[in-house]
Amino acid sequence: MCFVSKKLYTAFPFVVILFLLTSWPIYGKTEANLASAYKDYFSIGVALSKTDTQSEAVRRMVLDNFDSVTHEFAMKWSQVEVKQGIYDFSHIDSFVALNAGADKRIIGHTLVWHKANPDWLFKQEAIKPTAARDFYLDKLKTYIFTMMGRYRGKIYGWDVVNEAFNYDGSFRKSPWLDTIGEDYIEKAFEFAHQADPNAELYYNDYGLVNSKKQTAVAALVQRLKVKGIPIHAIGIQGHYSLTYPDLTKLDETIQRFAKLGVKVMITELDVSVLPFPGQEERGEDALISAERFTELNPYSEQLPDKIQQQHTNRYRDLFCVFLKHKNTVSRVTFWGLTDSRSWRNNWPLEGRTDYPLLYDRNLQPKPIVAELINLASSYKSACNPVRVYKE
Ligand code: G3I
């Protein structure tokens, strides 16, 4: 029978305390998380809504899993310069303070877009067409200097211009194109660099596996470089599905952009599980007749396990492409945290039930979160060597 000596009895509590103290970092450390799993490859970000930022549970998940944050809506012009010359920075100030305090890289989205402009901006009857260019160049410069100047040194990078090209490579119709002309993009980057010389500057768009659109963006990057106007990365938005885009096309897109001497960011990643009839490409707001609603909203009650597995596999396949290009891809941002608040529930058809993100409607992580964490350390064998992974 083993007798524990008297001395050990008295020492026991100290042994336990000593163990806890020495192992505290293990107990105190959060589970392995996405951002730490990918810290040697690329930043892992998430877009947050106003509702998200008011939720303690969401804040905890952001702290635990992401090292970069983007606001989904609050930094768009219509939400900032609420009246001509009148700015409301209140929500952005708290968003920046909260995330800077948590050591998160903050991405400003977006300075120049054909959408989300304040109503008053392009309703200036008094401006003669011949004066429009100068008037709107001044408006653009003033806004960029005001917005970027306020957050200089706090916002790491900016989507300077968003979605400026069509699928055929032409300039998308935009009030900026109509008033300033085709060089509104270069001017926006020029002003942005002047406003915060240390901020990273990005061009952001969707559907960039489309070769003509890709060529237009590549030409823009080359124009900026020839003029000595800084651009640091191309944002590939990543609004995908279980079948779109073809992984080889995505692989080739990243390779093509890498040759331009800029980084690539996957800026708005979500993977819809719902049918997207018609276009191969993600066209304009391709709203579909509501009569087909039931057919196009097959998982209104819950997501079948089989589809959940396909969704997991699709994210893994996409990450295999990103990991193949880890020296080019510098950030992957999920366009939202939880399925319940994804814009994909309402596009291209309002009111569907989609499951595009990493967290479900109960704010629980889906299996894909653990799978992506594991993939970070096993991708050289786990990624399909035939299809996409050849470092
Ligand atoms: O906050 C108001 C709320 O007070 C109001 O009751 C409600 C009803 O009108 O609207 C709420 O604002 C909505 C906002 O999202 C916040 O939820 C706006 O109407 C709605 O237009 C806005 O949609 C955003 C959209 O961009 C337009 O700015 C989506 O959340 C956002 O996911 C989406 O993101 C875009 C990227 O910026 C660019 N790339 C494509 C991507 C998807 O469209």
Side-chain angles (χ1 to χ4, degrees):
M1 189 174 174
C2 166
F3 288 90
V4 178
S5 81
K6 199 163 168 28
K7 271 191 188 150
L8 193 52
Y9 263 131
T10 50
F12 183 70
F14 299 102
V15 169
V16 170
I17 291 165
L18 184 65
F19 170 74
L20 285 177
L21 285 174
T22 52
S23 57
W24 170 247
I26 299 167
Y27 290 130
K29 189 171 70 176
T30 52
E31 290 294 304
N33 65 54
L34 274 171
S36 57
Y38 284 87
K39 68 182 179 350
D40 296 330
Y41 309 137
F42 37 74
S43 168
I44 299 285
V46 64
L48 298 172
S49 66
K50 196 166 190 173
T51 310
D52 287 327
T53 54
Q54 289 157 350
S55 153
E56 194 47 48
V58 168
R59 273 208 286 273
R60 178 77 254 159
M61 276 162 221
V62 170
L63 277 174
D64 286 353
N65 275 298
F66 304 95
D67 55 20
S68 160
V69 289
T70 305
H71 203 292
E72 193 176 20
F73 188 52
M75 292 190 194
K76 293 169 181 172
W77 199 324
S78 61
Q79 304 307 299
V80 182
E81 192 173 357
V82 291
K83 287 193 177 60
Q84 184 156 299
I86 310 291
Y87 297 88
D88 176 2
F89 292 114
S90 55
H91 186 59
I92 306 174
D93 285 350
S94 54
F95 180 76
V96 169
L98 183 74
N99 288 288
D103 198 24
K104 302 297 173 193
R105 272 184 185 174
I106 301 165
I107 307 302
H109 172 81
T110 178
L111 294 169
V112 183
W113 192 20
H114 63 285
K115 287 183 180 175
N117 290 299
D119 290 342
W120 57 264
L121 181 56
F122 291 103
K123 286 180 182 158
Q124 310 267 352
E125 284 75 27
I127 307 301
K128 294 192 189 71
T130 51
R133 175 178 163 85
D134 291 342
F135 179 84
Y136 281 101
L137 277 172
D138 178 63
K139 275 279 169 273
L140 185 60
K141 184 171 186 176
T142 301
Y143 177 71
I144 289 176
F145 270 57
T146 304
M147 186 67 166
M148 293 184 71
R150 185 180 183 88
Y151 301 108
R152 188 179 298 129
K154 294 175 184 164
I155 290 186
Y156 182 80
W158 289 88
D159 290 338
V160 177
V161 175
N162 192 44
E163 304 172 10
F165 296 107
N166 296 313
Y167 278 114
D168 64 4
S170 62
F171 283 91
R172 171 203 288 277
K173 179 153 184 51
S174 159
W176 296 109
L177 179 68
D178 295 343
T179 51
I180 295 172
E182 293 181 358
D183 67 335
Y184 80 90
I185 304 173
E186 287 99 302
K187 286 295 180 186
F189 276 88
E190 188 182 308
F191 298 152
H193 181 62
Q194 290 165 2
D196 184 351
N198 298 317
E200 287 197 345
L201 307 177
Y202 319 128
Y203 173 78
N204 191 49
D205 212 332
Y206 63 83
L208 292 181
V209 295
N210 171 291
S211 58
K212 289 181 178 170
K213 197 168 190 180
Q214 219 178 83
T215 298
V217 172
L220 165 67
V221 171
Q222 285 156 340
R223 279 199 305 280
L224 288 167
K225 287 191 171 288
V226 162
K227 293 180 178 178
I229 301 170
I231 177 169
H232 301 89
I234 296 168
I236 295 177
Q237 289 189 4
H239 295 304
Y240 295 153
S241 72
L242 295 177
T243 54
Y244 171 87
D246 172 274
L247 290 176
T248 305
K249 277 188 168 181
L250 178 59
D251 182 41
E252 290 163 355
T253 301
I254 296 173
Q255 288 185 56
R256 180 174 184 185
F257 287 158
K259 290 179 183 142
L260 298 168
V262 289
K263 289 292 186 186
V264 165
M265 298 176 161
I266 311 302
T267 50
E268 303 182 13
L269 184 58
D270 46 36
V271 176
S272 173
V273 297
L274 299 181
F276 194 103
Q279 302 102 323
E280 148 82 11
E281 300 287 3
R282 291 292 175 268
E284 275 303 319
D285 298 337
L287 293 178
I288 299 159
S289 65
E291 292 69 54
R292 297 182 57 200
F293 190 81
T294 309
E295 169 211 340
L296 297 170
N297 188 36
Y299 314 124
S300 56
E301 296 308 317
Q302 62 176 14
L303 188 64
D305 290 345
K306 180 175 137 243
I307 307 300
Q308 173 97 283
Q309 188 56 55
Q310 290 174 13
H311 189 247
T312 296
N313 295 343
R314 184 66 172 158
Y315 262 123
R316 282 170 51 88
D317 287 346
L318 286 164
F319 263 70
C320 281
V321 177
F322 305 155
L323 284 160
K324 175 184 175 185
H325 298 287
K326 63 184 186 299
N327 297 328
T328 298
V329 174
S330 57
R331 171 165 58 91
V332 175
T333 287
F334 292 91
W335 202 245
L337 183 77
T338 164
D339 290 341
S340 57
R341 287 198 278 274
S342 171
W343 77 290
R344 300 301 294 265
N345 292 312
N346 296 302
W347 187 86
L349 196 59
E350 294 276 332
R352 294 201 294 177
T353 305
D354 206 339
Y355 303 78
L357 296 168
L358 298 185
Y359 284 76
D360 66 21
R361 284 170 165 76
N362 299 315
L363 265 181
Q364 294 304 307
K366 297 176 186 175
I368 183 56
V369 175
E371 292 236 7
L372 288 179
I373 290 171
N374 294 334
L375 187 68
S377 54
S378 64
Y379 71 93
K380 290 187 178 177
S381 52
C383 290
N384 179 331
V386 174
R387 188 164 48 196
V388 290
Y389 182 79
K390 293 184 189 71
E391 194 160 15

